[in-house]
Amino acid sequence: MEYQAKLRHWFSYVVDPVARALLRLGVTPNMLTIAGFGVNIVTGIALGLSRLVTGGLLILAGGSFDMLDGSAARQSGLKKSSGALLDSVVDRYSEAAIFLGLAVHFHKVGNFIGLVMTFA
């Protein structure tokens, strides 16, 4: 079993019941993807304002949405290529928001190495 499959197996004990409950409430996997994107935009803003602890906690929250949307898609049978494409594209924009926030933070504090590493 590969590393990612092992992690998915262990996290599934927590993530799958939550995803099942959200599906029963009418929440779709795409809704979770968009909600996670919203959290990651707020994360980028927090990091840009040098609220690093808040930003770190928000990164964890945004990652939770990413795990939930995949689990919800698998459980609902709505695992479609359009949903997978949306998830993939939104994940890249989420990363961009976080990295932009970090870049703004490092620029504000005058940390050139941190700024270069963010772009690298």
Side-chain angles (χ1 to χ4, degrees), residues 17-104:
V18 173
R20 233 182 332 274
L22 289 170
L23 286 168
R24 280 194 298 269
L25 292 172
V27 177
T28 67
N30 287 346
M31 289 176 179
L32 292 170
T33 298
I34 299 303
F37 179 54
V39 170
N40 285 319
I41 289 174
V42 173
T43 301
I45 293 168
L47 293 170
L49 295 172
S50 298
R51 309 272 193 221
L52 302 182
V53 172
T54 302
L57 293 172
L58 287 169
I59 286 172
L60 293 174
S64 299
F65 278 97
D66 197 35
M67 287 189 301
L68 283 170
D69 68 8
S71 176
R74 282 188 297 279
Q75 292 182 47
S76 68
L78 295 174
K79 200 171 174 184
K80 298 178 184 174
S81 60
S82 60
L85 178 64
L86 175 70
D87 183 50
S88 180
V89 170
V90 168
D91 284 351
R92 299 301 78 77
Y93 280 111
S94 292
E95 292 165 359
I98 291 169
F99 285 128
L100 179 61
L102 281 172
V104 168

